[in-house]
């Protein structure tokens, strides 16, 4: 009974507010459209601080608060974005080894399992939605092949293999891709030398590079890559060049909602996590508020549409951010709001931006005064920045400001706490209680009428299974050749194309090679018979 009390109280709260909660997948309302928004690495205190920073009134996301989510991996209590994203996207936990869209080597913590075999690819909700004829979209403020967006659109045994991940994204037939990472699609930056920009053009995508081009776009298939790598923090953003997260979200909804079968959209505020790693309060509040604006855009659409599920959540905590630090240990109750807010309010740029300026030659004291309004730098603080470059310099800047605002950080890494869950479903329902990260994919699948396990069977037949049917295989590099009777076909890793007796055909999904075994859509066997 004690364990049920928080859920019962939360349920009573929602009923009292006129909102109708539900507690199991069988009662999930159907939704034609689903939008999942992830603020990567956003600890709960960041929302609290951002609310105060904005003036203290409710944020748009507040009305959606409905529960909490556990974030652990299959084999470790503190999650990396790759396995955390995999859990959110597929309904199965993965490994601390930073797998993307594949099963773990071992499942030892709660709510984890290996239903087929270790390192086998598993279908995500985007792929399953695509099988239903729905439109799909992926948005990120990092490189689009970064861990979280990749977990909803690709499969690999390492998040670091940008070549494989980006090639799969190109051939996943995703309708809208918006974010950063342009250079990783160019032959000059790729180890494999492939020109994926030309490939995307040949596949019918419009390639756009600026915010203005996004505003004026009127087509149905678009790849918007607004930076060579990651996008700027919202506070550093050049509006005519790079769109805001809310702008990208609204545009994607406009495009995807043309499909009368519905759509699935994943949106990530990637650099909340990056700011947390750097202990940078400016970047944290900047991109958290940008994320809240994106959530509002999704929520406004859902309320008007009344056939859309919106889920907003983070994949894991990061940095142990707190409003209050060791300097407030004895007098925290006497501290005025201004002492926590004003030092950060005076900042005009992120720590990342300031670090680049100092590294380019700007004087440390003058830079900190110009961008952070700090004119009382101690010699110790100056020395803590002097001579540093790259991440070492970037990570040293934020704490100088944080100390003046009495903001605390316990680590430069991820943390293992439960995170807030925000939901909105048709008829104003909610997902309540403490759920597991795998339950996100399960709820999305239930709402859209998807069976993820059946999607996995359809999209990822293993080479072992096809051999049992009498097919012979030979591989050379990225190409697998299949022989059955008098028929010969070839498929290529990371692509959705098969050539059967010289005829080119399109598959339902991409071909995956996990460095030991090939996996491909089951329709390949039908084509060979």
């Amino acid at each position: 009974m004690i364990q049920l009390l928080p859920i019962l109280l939360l349920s009573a709260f929602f009923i009292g507010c006129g909102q109708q909660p539900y507690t199991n997948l069988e009662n999930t309302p159907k939704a034609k459209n689903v939008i999942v928004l992830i603020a990567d690495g956003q600890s709960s205190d960041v929302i609290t601080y951002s609310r105060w920073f904005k003036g203290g009134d409710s944020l748009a996301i507040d009305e959606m608060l409905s529960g909490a989510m556990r974030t652990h991996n299959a084999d470790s209590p503190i999650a990396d974005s790759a396995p955390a994203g995999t859990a959110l996207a597929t309904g199965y936990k993965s490994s601390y080894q930073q797998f993307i869209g594949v099963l773990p080597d071992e499942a030892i913590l709660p709510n984890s399992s290996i239903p087929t075999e270790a390192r086998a690819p598993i279908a995500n909700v985007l792929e399953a939605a695509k099988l239903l004829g729905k439109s799909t979209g992926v948005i990120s403020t990092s490189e689009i092949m970064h861990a979280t967006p990749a977990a909803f659109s690709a499969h690999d045994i390492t998040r670091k293999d940008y070549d494989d991940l980006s090639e799969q994204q190109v051939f996943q037939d995703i309708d809208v891709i918006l974010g950063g990472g342009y250079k990783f699609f160019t032959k000059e930056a790729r180890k494999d030398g492939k020109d994926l920009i030309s490939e995307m053009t040949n596949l019918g995508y419009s390639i756009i590079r600026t915010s203005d081009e996004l505003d004026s776009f009127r087509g149905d298939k678009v790849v918007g890559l607004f930076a060579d790598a990651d996008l700027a923090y919202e506070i550093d953003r050049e509006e005519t060049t790079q769109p805001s997260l809310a702008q990208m979200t609204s545009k994607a909804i406009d495009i995807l909602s043309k499909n009368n079968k519905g759509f699935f959209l994943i949106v990530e505020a990637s650099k909340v996590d990056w700011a947390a790693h750097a202990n940078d309060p400016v970047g944290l509040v900047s991109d958290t508020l940008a994320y809240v604006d994106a959530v509002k855009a999704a929520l406004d659409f859902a309320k008007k549409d009344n056939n859309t599920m919106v889920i907003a959540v983070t994949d894991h905590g990061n940095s142990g951010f707190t409003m209050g630090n060791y300097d407030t240990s004895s007098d925290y109750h006497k501290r005025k709001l201004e002492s926590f807010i004003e030092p950060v309010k005076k900042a005009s740029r992120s720590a990342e931006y300031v670090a680049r300026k100092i590294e380019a030659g700007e004087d440390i004291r003058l830079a900190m005064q110009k961008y952070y309004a700090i004119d009382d730098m101690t010699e110790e603080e100056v020395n803590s920045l002097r001579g540093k470059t790259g991440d070492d310099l970037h990570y040293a800047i934020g704490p100088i400001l944080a100390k003046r605002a009495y903001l605390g950080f316990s680590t430069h890494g991820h943390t293992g706490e439960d995170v807030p869950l925000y939901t909105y479903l048709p008829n104003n329902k909610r997902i309540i209680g403490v759920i597991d990260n795998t339950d996100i994919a399960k709820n999305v699948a239930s709402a859209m009428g998807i069976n993820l396990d059946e999607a996995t069977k359809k999209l990822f037949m293993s080479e072992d299974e096809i051999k049992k049917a009498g097919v012979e295989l030979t591989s050379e590099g990225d190409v697998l050749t299949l022989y059955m009777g008098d028929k010969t076909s070839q498929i290529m890793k990371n692509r959705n194309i098969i050539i059967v007796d010289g005829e080119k055909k399109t598959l339902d999904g991409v071909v995956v090679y996990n460095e030991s075994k090939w996996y491909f859509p089951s329709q390949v066997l039908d084509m060979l018979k």
Side-chain angles (χ1 to χ4, degrees), residues 233 235-236 275 278-284 341-355 358 362 364-377 385 393-404:
Y233 284 103
I235 197 169
D236 303 329
N279 292 180
D280 171 17
V282 179
L284 268 176
I341 300 299
E342 288 306 314
V344 181
K345 279 267 190 185
K346 293 176 181 177
S348 60
R349 298 290 185 179
S350 71
E352 178 183 81
Y353 184 96
V354 178
I358 293 174
E362 284 200 26
I364 291 173
R365 290 184 186 275
L366 292 179
M368 296 296 282
Q369 184 178 39
K370 178 179 179 181
Y371 302 114
Y372 277 3
I374 295 177
D375 54 12
D376 60 346
M377 288 275 287
L385 305 183
L393 177 58
H394 178 194
Y395 280 38
I397 290 172
I400 293 174
L401 177 61
K403 183 175 176 61
R404 284 166 167 76

Side-chain angles (χ1 to χ4, degrees), residues 134-184:
K134 293 180 182 289
S135 294
T136 56
V138 178
I139 298 173
S140 178
T141 54
S142 65
E143 301 92 349
I144 204 68
M145 66 293 298
H146 210 259
T148 303
F152 283 85
S153 54
H155 308 269
D156 204 279
I157 59 171
T158 172
R159 61 178 288 180
K160 297 179 181 179
D161 195 340
Y162 272 20
D163 278 9
D164 280 358
L165 296 172
S166 56
E167 187 173 12
Q168 287 183 40
Q169 289 175 319
V170 168
F171 288 92
Q172 281 281 27
D173 196 26
I174 301 166
D175 298 277
V176 176
I177 299 175
L178 303 175
Y182 179 86
K183 72 177 182 181
F184 298 105

